[in-house]
Amino acid sequence: RDADPRKQSALFCSKAVLGLLVPLLGPLSSFGKQPNVLLIMADDVGLEPIGCYGGESFDTPQVDALARKGMRFEHCYSMPVCHPSRLALMTGRYPFRLKTGWGGFPKEEEKRSIGRVMQKAGYATAVAGKWQMTLLKKDPGQPGRVGFDEWLLFGWHEGARFHDPFLYRRDKPPRTEKGSYGPDLYADFLSAFMENAHKRGKPFFAYFPMALAHDVTDDLKWQVPYVPGKDRWMDYGEMIASMDSTIGKLVATLDRLGIRKETVVIFTGDNGTASRSKLRHLGKKGAKYEYEKVVVARKGERVPGGKGSLRDTGTRVPLIVNWLGTVKEGTVNQDLVDFSDWLPTLAELAGTKLASDRPLDGQSFAKSFLGLKGPRRTYAFSESRGGKAFIRDQRWKLYANGKMFDLKNDPTEKKALPENLGSKEAQSAKTRLARSLSDLNYR
């Protein structure tokens, strides 16, 4: 109300500047300041290898520390193999809706993917490791179109991923990194990205789909190098140890930068543990390999790897959320999560709204790890080839073919329940799950 024109002009300028700054700052998360997000997804790592989930065969101190100072979820479900899990993560939709071939990604989903969502919310974005959304030699710019500012990715079916890896970067031709170990390069790349974003004052989304602990590829015209000083490739246990130490390097970067409390660190796996892993190439001609059978001790039992199976050994994966000072330390969560939930969860953390004209299968589980009231999943879904799929809750599991299991009393699914279920509890669960499966319009 001051009549002094100079003061009125100053006030107008201040408001104008503020009006310009607000959109530049981006939306604020409903949980306060937008947190940084480091999403780590191991390859071919189910529950069994991880110490905090009862794994006894390997030491995983870095992952266990994330759980000890964060929250461990008991019921996270992926697809049984890698590419469908990545489709669900990137889009928030179940793979059967996307109508794409193995290793592909629908063009119409590129502008709506998880990277684009985080970019639009004001985040710096980067991805390193395993892509498998296209053959990069045919489409090297795809990571940029789906929302990543920077990337360092090995060429799927195009070169090595571990020793002497063949890598793609933004605005640089791909090349073989002689004398280098891929996981070290991926961790160094993301560490540099996080530090640069922090110096610029931007929140970051660092996505790390790891190469570990998937064994070496076997479809190249030349053989990838052996472990230096050894006559074989890494065995599964060595890859788990490398996975764990690599994660430790990224967490150490956050500590060094002093931004642990500003960063949500999430660890998961893309499917169950591998059933076997290649150790050696036995001849110069043909695909002759020596394999090890992967069997992991967990809670006093010997558990064979179940990758590719719709049972728990193929689809039940670790999920740990670590956010110092925000997520309650040492907690265990029984809420359901499936792989369509990543996109809406990160969108909620970023404080951005998703387009209402695009229905998602996923729903945010952010309130689960923040201990807030809100809707929770009533079922998790997973699918495989040939029309095979399941829908389940924490106890009951219904397959698309009508078979049902009580996982409380039969966790390894040795015998399906009879058609005449008998108990009212089982019948009620089957009716509820069948209705949810029907609502999905699964083919």
Side-chain angles (χ1 to χ4, degrees), residues 181-196:
Y181 178 53
D184 286 342
L185 297 180
Y186 312 139
D188 291 344
F189 173 84
L190 287 177
S191 291
F193 161 75
M194 294 188 295
E195 182 167 6
N196 184 49

Side-chain angles (χ1 to χ4, degrees), residues 171-442:
D171 299 329
K172 290 185 179 181
R175 69 180 187 185
T176 297
E177 301 288 347
K178 289 287 187 180
S180 296
Y181 178 53
D184 286 342
L185 297 180
Y186 312 139
D188 291 344
F189 173 84
L190 287 177
S191 291
F193 161 75
M194 294 188 295
E195 182 167 6
N196 184 49
H198 174 59
K199 288 179 178 177
R200 292 188 291 135
K202 291 202 69 170
F204 60 74
F205 170 43
Y207 174 37
F208 189 18
M210 302 185 79
L212 297 159
H214 192 297
D215 61 357
V216 296
T217 188
D218 61 3
D219 55 0
L220 302 177
K221 294 180 180 179
W222 64 96
Q223 292 304 312
V224 293
Y226 288 88
V227 176
K230 298 183 180 180
D231 64 348
R232 58 172 176 79
W233 296 301
M234 290 182 291
D235 63 28
Y236 190 76
E238 289 168 329
M239 287 191 287
I240 289 294
S242 184
M243 174 203 77
D244 190 73
S245 65
T246 302
I247 291 169
K249 292 176 182 178
L250 290 172
V251 174
T253 296
L254 300 176
D255 287 334
R256 176 175 58 81
L257 296 174
I259 56 173
R260 279 295 298 280
K261 289 188 176 181
E262 302 168 29
T263 306
V264 187
V265 181
I266 307 174
F267 172 78
T268 191
D270 68 343
N271 48 244
T273 300
S275 60
R276 65 178 189 171
S277 184
K278 289 180 285 295
L279 287 179
R280 292 179 179 85
H281 186 256
L282 300 178
K284 294 182 179 180
K285 294 182 179 180
K288 294 182 179 180
Y289 296 91
E290 177 186 348
Y291 291 88
E292 65 166 346
K293 187 175 182 180
V294 180
V295 180
V296 182
R298 179 177 184 245
K299 296 183 177 180
E301 297 184 0
R302 301 280 292 171
V303 183
K307 176 183 177 179
S309 168
L310 282 170
R311 294 182 179 181
D312 273 10
T313 52
T315 58
R316 191 176 177 187
V317 295
L319 170 56
I320 296 168
V321 181
N322 179 283
W323 189 359
L324 297 186
T326 301
V327 173
K328 189 175 179 180
E329 293 188 9
T331 50
V332 179
N333 193 299
Q334 302 293 337
D335 290 344
L336 292 165
V337 177
D338 77 22
F339 255 51
S340 66
D341 294 338
W342 293 106
L343 188 150
T345 300
L346 267 59
E348 184 170 3
L349 288 175
T352 188
K353 292 185 178 180
L354 298 171
S356 58
D357 63 341
R358 177 178 177 264
L360 297 181
D361 294 302
Q363 66 181 70
S364 173
F365 61 91
K367 291 182 176 64
S368 290
F369 58 77
L370 294 171
L372 301 176
K373 292 182 179 179
R376 300 297 197 263
R377 263 197 175 277
T378 58
Y379 65 83
F381 174 83
S382 183
E383 63 178 285
S384 186
R385 294 176 176 176
K388 298 176 181 178
F390 70 70
I391 193 166
R392 63 166 294 164
D393 60 19
Q394 290 86 341
R395 176 176 179 179
W396 307 99
K397 186 173 185 179
L398 178 65
Y399 282 89
N401 64 6
K403 290 186 177 181
M404 186 170 173
F405 293 85
D406 177 0
L407 299 180
K408 178 181 178 181
N409 297 307
D410 183 16
T412 58
E413 302 181 29
K414 292 181 179 179
K415 187 176 182 180
L417 295 173
E419 289 292 328
N420 182 10
L421 293 174
S423 78
K424 290 183 179 179
E425 185 180 11
Q427 185 58 59
S428 175
K430 185 172 185 179
T431 299
R432 172 173 48 82
L433 291 173
R435 184 184 303 117
S436 296
L437 185 61
S438 176
D439 289 345
L440 286 178
N441 294 315
Y442 178 68

Side-chain angles (χ1 to χ4, degrees), residues 2-146:
D2 199 312
D4 187 332
R6 292 173 298 178
K7 291 184 178 180
Q8 286 183 329
S9 177
L11 180 62
F12 173 80
C13 290
S14 297
K15 289 182 177 179
V17 170
L18 181 61
L20 289 171
L21 283 177
V22 169
L24 290 176
L25 291 172
L28 290 180
S29 167
S30 58
F31 310 115
K33 181 182 177 182
Q34 288 175 305
N36 305 312
V37 179
L38 170 58
L39 173 56
I40 304 167
M41 183 171 67
D43 199 347
D44 289 2
V45 179
L47 298 183
E48 304 83 22
I50 308 301
C52 63
Y53 281 97
E56 299 165 344
S57 293
F58 317 114
D59 292 328
T60 54
Q62 300 297 333
V63 175
D64 295 345
L66 292 177
R68 188 169 59 252
K69 296 183 179 181
M71 179 178 289
R72 185 181 86 238
F73 282 76
E74 288 291 304
H75 289 283
C76 178
Y77 297 94
S78 68
M79 305 300 149
V81 290
C82 50
H83 178 242
S85 288
R86 284 164 168 74
L87 285 176
L89 183 149
M90 292 290 289
T91 66
R93 306 178 72 194
Y94 294 135
F96 76 88
R97 302 196 193 282
L98 301 177
K99 311 298 183 185
T100 188
W102 183 261
F105 192 82
K107 289 283 186 182
E108 63 272 16
E109 295 293 331
E110 290 182 347
K111 63 181 180 181
R112 299 169 171 175
S113 70
I114 198 168
R116 293 289 286 271
V117 166
M118 299 303 280
Q119 255 183 355
K120 290 177 182 177
Y123 279 68
T125 59
V127 58
K130 179 177 180 177
W131 187 235
Q132 203 172 352
M133 296 287 102
T134 187
L135 282 175
L136 289 171
K137 65 182 179 182
K138 295 182 178 179
D139 191 2
Q142 193 204 30
R145 294 200 309 275
V146 298

